[in-house]
């Protein structure tokens, strides 16, 4: 997947028209067979999200706010729903609560993404959480693992948790800009861990 951030006030936010132009150029160069293109949103009005999906021709949406299940069901494309893992509390309670939230996402036919809970943070915080919680949830459910993943630690995360997939943004940046060497190293680390 390739993500395009539409979250208000996010440092990586793209205006819809700019994203549309980038996606149009990408599709002209690469065709339709490449990665699925995902728009990231957080607590934005439904009409705004649908407008961006339609304008940009997005394949999926990723919800990073506190949108309720009824909201997920309205969207016209498959949706990745962020599940915030509260690992600051009792581990057993964290596993139970996370599993319950992941099940709800699955029951609505969507894709869960596990990320660290941070007070007041929409989207990712760039910080990891207790992967042993994710490992327990992975016994019953597939999900995307996010939160503080880097080229240096993603192999360990994949080996420990065995998620369906991983999600990265700030972990492959240098001074706030995507770093092609870090991206390549991240992908290589995932492939190595996946082969074991």
């Amino acid at each position: 997947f390739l993500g395009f951030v539409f979250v208000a006030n996010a440092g990586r936010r793209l205006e819809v028209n700019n994203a549309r132009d980038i996606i149009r150029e990408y599709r002209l160069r690469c065709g339709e067979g490449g990665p699925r293109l995902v728009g990231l949103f957080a607590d934005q009005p439904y009409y705004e999200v649908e407008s961006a999906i339609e304008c940009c021709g997005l394949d999926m949406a990723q919800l990073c706010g506190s949108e309720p299940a009824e909201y997920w069901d309205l969207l016209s494309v498959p949706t990745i729903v962020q599940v915030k893992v509260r690992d600051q509390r009792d581990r057993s309670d964290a596993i139970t609560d996370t599993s319950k939230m992941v099940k709800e996402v699955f029951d609505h036919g969507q894709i869960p993404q596990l990320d660290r809970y941070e007070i007041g943070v929409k989207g990712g915080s760039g910080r990891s959480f207790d992967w042993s919680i994710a490992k327990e949830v992975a016994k019953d459910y597939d999900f995307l693992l996010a939160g503080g993943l880097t080229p240096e630690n993603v192999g360990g995360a994949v080996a420990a948790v065995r998620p369906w997939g991983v999600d990265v943004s700030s972990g492959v940046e240098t001074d706030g800009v995507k770093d092609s060497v870090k991206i390549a190293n991240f992908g290589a680390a995932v492939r190595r861990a996946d082969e074991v």
Side-chain angles (χ1 to χ4, degrees), residues 116-131:
R116 179 187 176 94
Y117 173 78
E118 292 277 337
I119 295 172
V121 175
K122 292 181 182 182
S125 67
R127 297 180 60 203
S128 62
F129 62 93
D130 182 351
W131 292 334

Side-chain angles (χ1 to χ4, degrees), residues 5 10 12 46 79 159 173 194:
V5 179
R12 299 173 186 90
Y46 165 77
T79 303
E173 291 179 349
D194 219 23

Side-chain angles (χ1 to χ4, degrees), residues 42-117:
D43 295 326
Q44 291 159 257
Y46 165 77
Y47 67 85
E48 186 178 305
V49 174
E50 273 300 321
S51 176
I53 290 168
E54 184 177 334
C55 180
C56 296
L58 297 170
D59 300 312
M60 300 178 76
Q62 180 173 330
L63 301 177
C64 307
S66 56
E67 299 87 355
E70 298 77 26
Y71 186 104
W72 318 337
D73 294 339
L74 291 173
L75 295 176
S76 61
V77 293
T79 303
I80 298 167
V81 178
Q82 188 177 60
V83 173
K84 297 286 194 166
V85 178
R86 296 176 181 245
D87 65 346
Q88 305 88 347
R89 55 201 307 204
D90 176 77
R91 184 175 174 278
S92 178
D93 289 345
I95 292 167
T96 299
D97 293 347
T98 303
S99 293
K100 182 179 175 184
M101 290 185 286
V102 167
K103 181 182 185 311
E104 181 181 18
V105 174
F106 264 103
D107 287 349
H108 284 266
Q110 309 301 348
I111 301 167
Q113 176 214 45
L114 272 57
D115 204 343
R116 179 187 176 94
Y117 173 78

Side-chain angles (χ1 to χ4, degrees), residues 1-8 10-27 30 34-42 44 48-49 52-53 55-64 80 167-169 178:
F1 302 147
L2 293 176
F4 296 84
V5 179
F6 297 100
V7 178
R12 299 173 186 90
R13 178 190 169 101
L14 281 170
E15 294 300 324
V16 171
N17 290 340
N18 292 344
R20 180 198 60 213
D21 294 345
I22 292 166
I23 290 169
R24 184 178 294 148
E25 182 67 23
Y26 168 81
R27 296 233 195 248
C30 301
R36 298 185 81 183
L37 306 183
V38 182
L40 281 70
F41 306 92
Q44 291 159 257
E48 186 178 305
V49 174
I53 290 168
C55 180
C56 296
L58 297 170
D59 300 312
M60 300 178 76
Q62 180 173 330
L63 301 177
C64 307
I80 298 167
D167 182 309
V168 66
S169 185
K178 294 294 182 271

Side-chain angles (χ1 to χ4, degrees), residues 138-158:
K139 292 177 180 177
D140 297 313
Y141 300 102
D142 288 332
F143 54 80
L144 294 168
L145 180 66
L149 298 176
T150 66
E152 294 76 29
N153 71 10
V154 71
V158 169

